[in-house]
Amino acid sequence: MLSDKIATLRKDAGWSQEELAERLGVSRQAVSKWESGASQPDLERVLALSELFEVSTDYLLKDEADTIDATIEAAVPDYGVALEGEVYPAESRGLRVLQPHEAHGYLGTRRRSASQIARGVALCVACPAPLMVLIGMSQAHWPLLTDENIAIALGVGMLLVMVALGVKLFIQAGDRMSKYRFIEKKPFYLPGDLRATVADEQAKYRREQSRDIAEGVFLCVLSPVPTVVGGILDDGGLLTMCGVALLLAMIAMGVYLFTRDGVIMEGFSKLLKD
């Protein structure tokens, strides 16, 4: 039934009724009525559901027995014959055959999301840095910042802002990747030629990853140096606090490189099922 299919597809996509309603421009109550069978979506909403969940309208509107063949054809175009003439093996039967534009679109989106996630992680790692500097400034009796309580309040406020920005980046990255959720949650078949292309791209990026890892390790190893120097020059004062802030900033830069490359390489692994 249509109601059961809407509920199943929504849960497979990992969305709440509120999220699905927002994407369709309807109320949550409308989605709830569709899933309970109390009402049916109009034709415009059926088309929107078909596009959103990437299924055929036949699958949504007809009984399962009437549409099993149509569903397979929609998931695997020209069953048994690839677009370039390659014959699909038997193990691809019943699976969605990933097309080149889908694979490359997924990798491109994954790269952009990886940068957002990495920036969010770096912000969360570095967020105590302003607090350290402001405390050091108050201890050094800088003008307008002689009260340590005010410095702490300002520092905590900046910390919370940085964490909030990091969370915002995480949410944006997740929303960006939602279009390709089927690749990460459902089985699919990757044709041989496309697999070879993705594997070549993975090998090229692995060299870039090795360089980034070396740079990240270098930053993390050197990160204590500013703190040590600050402690020698100004024991427990502003320079020490600035050294701690630089330590956090350098670690955040290293973590940014590790996180970004890790997310991107995970995308290659998901496509190649490594």
Side-chain angles (χ1 to χ4, degrees):
M1 294 179 62
L2 177 58
S3 57
D4 296 330
K5 291 174 183 176
I6 294 175
T8 299
L9 290 168
R10 175 181 62 78
K11 292 174 183 177
D12 286 345
W15 298 333
S16 64
Q17 289 184 341
E18 290 85 353
E19 289 174 314
L20 177 58
E22 183 178 349
R23 292 170 185 271
L24 293 173
V26 299
S27 65
R28 186 199 64 79
Q29 290 78 8
V31 174
S32 177
K33 288 181 180 179
W34 296 346
E35 295 186 356
S36 66
S39 66
Q40 300 290 330
D42 57 28
L43 181 58
E44 181 181 353
R45 303 305 178 197
V46 170
L47 292 173
L49 286 166
S50 172
E51 181 178 352
L52 186 62
F53 291 123
E54 298 184 342
V55 296
S56 67
T57 53
D58 282 345
Y59 170 77
L60 291 173
L61 297 174
K62 295 183 180 179
D63 292 336
E64 191 71 21
D66 296 335
T67 61
I68 185 169
D69 291 334
T71 303
I72 291 175
E73 289 176 5
V76 185
D78 293 327
Y79 212 121
V81 181
L83 296 179
E84 270 106 35
E86 176 189 359
V87 177
Y88 294 148
E91 61 264 25
S92 69
R93 192 160 192 82
L95 299 179
R96 175 179 184 146
V97 175
L98 213 61
Q99 301 301 306
H101 73 275
E102 293 175 320
H104 294 304
Y106 170 74
L107 290 176
T109 303
R110 187 92 184 182
R111 283 176 181 262
R112 292 188 290 273
S113 297
S115 295
Q116 287 184 304
I117 293 171
R119 288 199 299 271
V121 173
L123 282 170
C124 292
V125 171
C127 64
L131 176 61
M132 297 294 100
V133 173
L134 289 170
I135 291 176
M137 291 171 66
S138 69
Q139 292 175 347
H141 302 290
W142 274 50
L144 305 178
L145 202 63
T146 56
D147 190 332
E148 186 171 345
N149 291 329
I150 294 178
I152 291 175
L154 289 173
V156 170
M158 296 177 70
L159 181 152
L160 294 175
V161 169
M162 292 175 70
V163 171
L165 289 173
V167 172
K168 179 183 178 182
L169 288 170
F170 297 149
I171 294 173
Q172 289 177 339
D175 188 61
R176 185 191 294 273
M177 288 302 303
S178 63
K179 178 181 179 181
Y180 297 98
R181 201 182 300 273
F182 69 94
I183 291 179
E184 301 185 349
K185 291 194 173 184
K186 296 181 181 179
F188 59 86
Y189 173 69
L190 193 66
D193 290 346
L194 184 54
R195 172 176 289 275
T197 300
V198 173
D200 287 342
E201 291 184 21
Q202 182 190 42
K204 292 177 182 177
Y205 192 79
R206 189 172 280 120
R207 292 191 290 271
E208 182 177 341
Q209 182 190 32
S210 298
R211 185 187 68 246
D212 289 344
I213 289 176
E215 293 175 357
V217 170
F218 178 77
L219 285 168
C220 291
V221 169
L222 288 183
S223 61
V225 172
T227 305
V228 173
V229 173
I232 294 172
L233 297 177
D234 184 20
D235 186 21
L238 176 59
L239 291 180
T240 301
M241 291 302 187
C242 289
V244 174
L246 282 173
L247 178 148
L248 292 171
M250 292 173 71
I251 291 177
M253 292 169 63
V255 169
Y256 170 87
L257 295 172
F258 300 148
T259 304
R260 184 192 64 184
D261 291 347
V263 173
I264 292 174
M265 289 302 292
E266 184 184 9
F268 285 113
S269 297
K270 287 183 181 295
L271 278 181
L272 298 173
K273 300 184 186 300
D274 291 340

